[in-house]
Amino acid sequence: MQDTTTLEVDTDVHERLTALAAARGLTLPAYLAELTAAQENEAGLARAARAFDEAVRRSGFREGFERDFGPASGRAGSGSGSRAA
């Protein structure tokens, strides 16, 4: 059996969470576990995006990227999103 703890929330919040869980066919603990995992993933993606933004500001990063992976495509306004048939 897993260790458990009690979480106190307003009755309204509990009812709303329970309804959301039921709509997905989940128990409230299972739904809260899914919400937690989703938030952890979102936080990780935000950290990765910040790290990438910092990396592309470093001198030579873009040139090295293009050398290793080819020219960037799909940039807004670059017109590279369409090809002639």
Side-chain angles (χ1 to χ4, degrees):
M1 180 174 180
Q2 291 182 332
D3 288 336
T4 62
T5 190
T6 301
L7 176 66
E8 292 188 24
V9 296
D10 293 336
T11 301
D12 178 60
V13 171
H14 181 269
E15 290 171 356
R16 291 165 50 206
L17 287 169
T18 301
L20 289 166
R24 297 188 62 175
L26 298 171
T27 64
L28 183 53
Y31 182 65
L32 291 173
E34 281 194 4
L35 285 176
T36 301
Q39 288 298 304
E40 289 169 340
N41 289 339
E42 188 173 314
L45 288 172
R47 281 191 306 275
R50 283 191 304 273
F52 184 78
D53 287 343
E54 290 173 16
V56 297
R57 290 188 193 108
R58 287 195 312 250
S59 176
F61 180 88
R62 290 180 190 270
E63 294 80 7
F65 185 92
E66 289 188 358
R67 179 193 66 236
D68 294 343
F69 300 104
S73 62
R75 286 186 264 181
S78 67
S80 62
S82 61
R83 291 185 166 170

